[in-house]
Amino acid sequence: MSDADPQDHKEKMQQRQAEQRAKVAELQDPEKGLVLVHTGPGKGKSSSAFGVVVRALGWKQRVGVVQFIKGKWKTGERLFFEQLDEVTWHTMGEGFTWDTQDRNRDIAAAEAAFGKAREMMASGEYDLVVMDEINIAIRYEYLKIEDVIAGLDARDKRTAVVLTGRDARPELCDYADLVTEMSEVKHPFKAGIKAQRGVDY
């Protein structure tokens, strides 16, 4: 049985809340859309980005999504947002040519997708733009990191951006306002369980 005094506990909590309020009061409004990077080997990078999309839509903000990897692969998030008709959605052609190894085609597709994202970011029409799996395109050098950062620099002041995918480049992480690295503790694939609709895609 605890000997803690309920009144003492209440006072400590009130003091912590007051300290937190004081810290929040000191924070600055950046007056610009933030850049968020979701990276790391763990699952949940895209899922987290689409959670940000839902949050933005809740505030009646305009959202655009450009997917760099998934191609014509059906995903639950794409099916859902297409039903809502509230998100401008672009998926990169047929995805990367992992089987044929047509590097030139992959570069052209990645550049076209980034061209669309860059146009959306600079337009002033979007509160949020998600570039899903763009870090993979950068990792394979289908896109130059300096071009991606230049595109982020040229975005409209109000536009926030989320970039997802493993192996985010250090230059991008340095540029971003928020970087979250997902770590893998356990994954069903290693137990021989295939990807599940509604959970994995």
Side-chain angles (χ1 to χ4, degrees):
M1 190 169 176
S2 174
D3 294 328
D5 181 356
Q7 183 62 30
D8 186 44
H9 176 74
K10 181 179 178 182
E11 289 173 1
K12 283 182 181 177
M13 291 300 102
Q14 288 174 338
Q15 182 180 349
R16 286 184 187 169
Q17 289 172 350
E19 290 170 357
Q20 180 66 17
R21 282 193 295 271
K23 285 181 184 177
V24 170
E26 291 174 3
L27 298 177
Q28 297 176 350
D29 186 341
E31 297 183 351
K32 68 180 179 71
L34 301 177
V35 174
L36 291 67
V37 173
H38 298 175
T39 192
K43 177 176 164 47
K45 296 176 288 291
S46 295
S47 301
S48 179
F50 293 122
V52 177
V53 169
V54 171
R55 183 172 288 161
L57 292 176
W59 288 104
K60 307 297 182 189
Q61 293 181 353
R62 187 155 182 214
V63 179
V65 174
V66 178
Q67 286 190 305
F68 282 76
I69 298 291
K70 295 185 171 76
K72 293 183 177 179
W73 179 27
K74 284 186 179 179
T75 62
E77 60 269 17
R78 182 176 171 188
L79 293 170
F80 174 74
F81 288 119
E82 283 177 348
Q83 289 174 31
L84 288 184
D85 197 31
E86 291 183 18
V87 176
T88 304
W89 196 286
H90 297 280
T91 300
M92 188 195 80
E94 298 175 4
F96 287 133
T97 57
W98 305 121
D99 296 328
T100 63
Q101 295 296 300
D102 187 344
R103 180 173 174 79
N104 289 335
R105 180 185 160 205
D106 290 340
I107 290 171
E111 287 178 344
F114 184 64
K116 178 58 68 177
R118 191 167 187 165
E119 180 184 303
M120 293 165 73
M121 288 189 292
S123 70
E125 296 177 9
Y126 294 89
D127 299 283
L128 175 67
V129 173
V130 174
M131 291 187 277
D132 188 35
E133 304 289 7
I134 188 173
N135 291 332
I136 303 297
I138 299 169
R139 182 178 86 184
Y140 285 102
E141 298 181 345
Y142 297 151
L143 295 172
K144 295 178 180 176
I145 184 63
E146 55 266 30
D147 291 342
V148 173
I149 290 176
L152 292 168
D153 263 340
R155 76 189 188 280
D156 186 85
K157 187 173 81 167
R158 79 181 233 212
T159 303
V161 182
V162 184
L163 305 94
T164 77
R166 292 173 176 243
D167 301 319
R169 288 281 293 272
E171 300 96 317
L172 181 60
C173 293
D174 289 343
Y175 181 91
D177 298 290
L178 181 150
V179 179
T180 300
E181 185 168 278
M182 310 289 185
S183 61
E184 182 180 305
V185 177
K186 189 175 183 180
H187 199 293
F189 181 78
K190 292 178 179 175
I193 300 171
K194 69 179 184 178
Q196 304 287 301
R197 281 185 179 179
V199 173
D200 293 298
Y201 63 93

